[in-house]
Amino acid sequence: MNPGVNAVERVFRSAGVTGWLHAVDIDDGREVGMRADEPVVLASVFKLPLLLELHRQAERGLLDLTERVRVPASGRTGGGTGLSAMLDDATLSLRDLAYLMMAVSDNTAADVLLARVGREAVNTLLDGLGLTATRVTQSCREMLASLRVDAGVADQSDVNQACADPEVVARLSALDPAVANRSTPREMTRLLAMIWRDEAAGAASCAAIRRLMALQVWPHRLASGFPFDDVAVSGKTGTLPTLRNEVGVVEYPDGGRYAVAVFTRSYGTAQNQPRADAAIGLAARTVIDQLRTHI
Amino acid sequence: MDLVRHLGYFLVVAEERHFGNAAARLGMAQPPLSQRIKRLEEELGVRLFERSSRRVALTEAGRLLVPEAREIVARAERIRDLMADMARGAAAVVRAGVPADLGAPVLAALIAGFRDRRPDVRLSLTEMGTAAQVAALLEGRLDVGLLRHPVAGHGLACGPVLVRYPGVLLAEDDELTAWAAVHLGDLAGRDLVMFPRDAEPGLYDDTLAACRRGGFVPAEVIHTDRAEFALGLVLSGTAVAFGVPAEVPGVVWRPLAGKPLAWRCSPAWRGEPGPCVRDFTDVAVQVLKDDAGMVDEAMPPAPRVAPRPATGFLA
């Protein structure tokens, strides 16, 4: 067994989570995994393949990333950030919507873009990349609606409270990889590696995607494992009740670059679990430390 | 009179036992040779040869003088050779300054390597910090030194720059030993034991500046130039130290991720390097590579700060 895995298991256990993980050296292919081929729920991590399909369609001339889109104040998808939290009509370019979707996981921006490119187009792209365990089946709005329905509450604002109940969490279809947007840790690192090697799309598109992933604001998960000025961390999080994910790339000053995908489910149902968030970063550092010592 | 020269004539006559043959060997006429031997006898107040028509024999005083004269003549020749070397720009002694922490095997390899290269030249080594070496080189008290960079040595010339990337020495029960490589920022909250600033001001300031950039500001910096004392502090968990792996039970070495510290060193001298200084430089560079794990200076990676939206400035 991989020597890194026991240490990773300890990290997860002491944070009160179950973890699924895969990490790979982007340039030499060495890897560390734990339950790396089991299906996992992506939550907002699905915004990464959506972003890739957006750029692929722009490359084919199907859309113009600078095209301006009106996003009215009414009818927005719920969420605590970006346009989902803003109150007035807005007009943004497609690529600035993509920025909000990646930087602050804006659900409204994601649904506007998903409606524009089409979820089947995203799945066709994933097929073409050989990522057949990765599927986009739901928009953010559908995901949130399933939470409300499964929790048995009438209003979206009651979902948070209801999901503090373990019995409610147990019946959320949004947490079932057979239903929700899904992938495996290994397929996510393959996708990241293709983006970092300019293989997932044209070089300019891959660079634009990397830029947006580096602009993600959250410091508490993957980035928290690398509190070092000379290490660059790019990523995309995903969060649902008891579910905390992040996939991203960690780049060292000596040129070493590592794709890592970490998916967790916490035993507890509390929303605020900074140790569970930090476990994603610590687990990532643990496996990257192993990859860097040529195990 | 020139005693050494006269002793030289004496030895030739003593070997030839014949004034004519001796004069021929010396490339001179016989009368002046006889004259000079007579003057030597007057000077010393003894007779050195029994002269007969056929042959010349040493007196007892003459026999006594032969080994003494041989020694003086040989020494005089050696003085001339040495001074001739000096006149050609080669010194019979090379005075070299070396850093205190070079280590016994490296020091031994340096001395052996130089002896192989120049068996005729004595290598006089002095353990000295960079600051002292710079002063000694400028004042002519050293011929060559091994300086730590960065160094302000106006008027000195430097040989090839070699570099070594120090790691960190930790007590084996330090939690950081779980990592295969340690970041400077991981060391936060620990004290640091270092060489005194006086000895290596440039390297000292450089090292602490890199620590601050990396997020490690030691609450206390303990100074010592004794390796044993530093290791004792590490062993007890009192402080961490930077350096090469130490073969001490209880002390664990880990590389620093991203090589944030680079310890550079190069031979240095004042003015034009003589042949011995050049030989010392060649030997020192080879020994530092072979025995001290140093490598040719690569282009150091430019220090970078990877921007992060949430933790960067203006967030």
Side-chain angles (χ1 to χ4, degrees), chain B residues 3 18 24 50 72 80 93 145 173 205 219 239 241 249 254 285 287 307 311:
Chain B
L3 181 61
H18 192 281
E50 298 285 355
I72 284 182
R80 269 192 211 94
V93 176
D173 59 355
D205 291 348
R254 287 288 179 266
V285 166
V287 165
T311 47

Side-chain angles (χ1 to χ4, degrees), chain B residues 20 27 40 43 66 88 95 148 185 200 225 239 243 260 269 286 290 293:
Chain B
L40 182 62
E43 174 80 17
V66 167
R88 286 198 305 270
R95 299 160 303 167
R148 250 72 183 276
E200 307 286 348
D225 48 13
W269 54 85
Q286 201 55 50
D290 293 348

Side-chain angles (χ1 to χ4, degrees), chain A residues 9-281:
Chain A
E9 196 69 273
R10 277 198 300 279
V11 168
F12 286 139
R13 273 190 203 140
S14 65
V17 304
T18 306
W20 293 256
L21 172 150
H22 191 251
V24 62
D25 183 319
I26 289 175
D27 299 299
D28 73 12
R30 284 176 312 110
E31 56 182 335
V32 179
M34 197 173 71
R35 298 185 275 277
D37 296 305
E38 292 183 15
V40 290
V41 169
L42 286 171
S44 288
V45 174
F46 94 90
K47 292 164 186 170
L48 177 58
L50 167 56
L51 176 68
L52 179 59
E53 175 57 17
L54 179 77
H55 278 274
R56 295 273 295 241
Q57 292 193 10
E59 286 178 352
R60 298 203 299 276
L62 298 178
L63 52 81
D64 176 359
L65 289 172
T66 63
E67 177 196 328
R68 296 168 74 79
V69 178
R70 185 160 179 277
V71 186
S74 62
R76 287 183 183 171
T77 304
T81 61
L83 291 166
S84 293
M86 289 156 74
L87 300 175
D88 297 313
D89 293 350
T91 302
L92 281 86
S93 67
L94 289 173
R95 62 183 181 182
D96 282 349
L97 286 167
Y99 161 74
L100 286 175
M101 171 176 80
M102 297 304 287
V104 295
S105 207
D106 184 335
N107 289 337
T108 294
D111 279 356
V112 169
L113 295 175
L114 183 63
R116 182 60 178 263
V117 303
R119 72 190 72 177
E120 275 322 302
V122 178
N123 288 325
T124 303
L125 164 68
L126 290 166
D127 286 337
L129 296 174
L131 306 175
T132 53
T134 305
R135 290 296 102 174
V136 173
T137 59
Q138 292 178 313
S139 66
C140 294
R141 183 187 302 276
E142 289 161 347
M143 212 184 303
L144 294 171
S146 81
L147 289 180
R148 181 171 48 76
V149 170
D150 295 342
V153 295
D155 199 280
Q156 200 71 38
S157 61
D158 295 326
V159 167
N160 278 342
Q161 182 60 51
C163 287
D165 180 348
E167 285 185 21
V168 170
V169 169
R171 61 174 188 256
L172 295 177
S173 66
L175 300 177
D176 180 359
V179 176
N181 294 338
R182 58 189 171 269
S183 183
T184 66
R186 188 189 303 275
E187 286 205 352
M188 280 295 106
T189 60
R190 282 177 57 198
L191 176 61
L192 291 164
M194 285 188 272
I195 292 168
W196 255 255
R197 289 194 302 251
D198 289 342
E199 294 166 3
S205 297
C206 287
I209 294 168
R210 293 195 295 268
R211 169 181 172 268
L212 291 186
M213 291 186 74
L215 286 172
Q216 180 183 235
V217 298
W218 319 126
H220 59 320
R221 290 195 182 155
L222 187 55
S224 74
F226 307 88
F228 315 117
D229 280 2
D230 54 359
V231 176
V233 181
S234 309
K236 182 68 200 83
T237 58
T239 312
L240 282 169
T242 70
L243 181 149
R244 294 168 185 81
N245 303 335
E246 187 158 356
V247 308
V249 170
V250 178
E251 294 169 276
Y252 271 65
D254 60 9
R257 43 187 200 160
Y258 311 91
V260 55
V262 188
F263 297 81
T264 72
R265 290 285 308 273
S266 61
Y267 311 146
T269 55
Q271 280 194 24
N272 286 287
Q273 296 196 45
R275 284 160 54 80
D277 291 314
I280 290 173

